[in-house]
Amino acid sequence: MIINGAGGCYENRYYEMDVTTAWNMVLQSLNDIGVQVDDWDEEHHLVKFHNVKKQMQVLVKDMGNGTVEVAMDSRGKRLLIYCWHKENKEVEMFFQVFEEKLHDFKAYVCCPTCGRIISAFAATCPDCGQLIKH
């Protein structure tokens, strides 16, 4: 669901992954989009941050059964009354980077024997020869 207007934007998306992995990907994504982190709550998986124009926050919520909700809220430093311009630039940028990281995460696995990062489609590890279960 996306709510857009009045100087801000809210969007939430659901992903099949564990909450710890999603939280780590959120923090990496924020680093990649170049925002200033103001505060984060590790226990509740909430991080607050800003750029020049917007105040933002991301929440990662465990929905159970291996699913998480990632919700992002951005708003201008001042509320804009009667403004219906699209205000979703930062939200779209965050989710684009987050989903690229998710794609990369699913494309590779760690060899259980030697620890090398290898293709998720490899039958064996090229370093140690360990059979990879899929």
Side-chain angles (χ1 to χ4, degrees):
M1 169 179 70
I2 185 168
I3 302 171
N4 191 9
C9 181
Y10 170 86
E11 184 168 357
N12 65 328
R13 298 184 186 182
Y14 296 90
Y15 301 95
E16 290 184 15
M17 61 192 319
D18 67 276
V19 70
T20 303
T21 302
W23 175 246
N24 289 329
M25 284 181 168
V26 163
L27 297 178
Q28 292 171 13
S29 298
L30 295 179
N31 187 51
D32 288 357
I33 64 174
V35 294
Q36 176 67 45
V37 173
D38 300 317
D39 188 27
W40 71 85
D41 180 345
E42 191 90 29
E43 180 182 353
H44 296 101
H45 303 107
L46 174 68
V47 60
K48 297 178 181 184
F49 53 98
H50 71 276
N51 65 12
V52 175
K53 295 181 180 182
K54 302 272 178 92
Q55 299 288 330
M56 297 164 272
Q57 58 186 1
V58 172
L59 172 70
V60 178
K61 182 178 178 184
D62 188 357
M63 303 303 290
N65 298 328
T67 303
V68 296
E69 175 186 19
V70 178
M72 181 175 175
D73 177 42
S74 77
R75 63 192 182 289
K77 295 190 179 192
R78 295 186 329 225
L79 181 62
L80 300 177
I81 306 299
Y82 303 116
C83 175
W84 298 105
H85 294 94
K86 285 191 152 204
E87 294 289 338
N88 59 344
K89 177 182 167 188
E90 291 84 2
V91 173
E92 283 183 358
M93 183 186 314
F94 167 77
F95 278 112
Q96 178 182 354
V97 171
F98 181 82
E99 289 174 357
E100 286 171 4
K101 290 191 176 307
L102 179 60
H103 178 267
D104 291 346
F105 175 76
K106 289 183 175 183
Y108 298 96
V109 295
C110 185
C111 174
T113 302
C114 70
R116 179 175 178 192
I117 304 297
I118 58 175
S119 170
F121 304 107
T124 60
C125 176
D127 273 2
C128 69
Q130 171 69 38
L131 199 60
I132 306 298
K133 294 181 183 178
H134 297 283

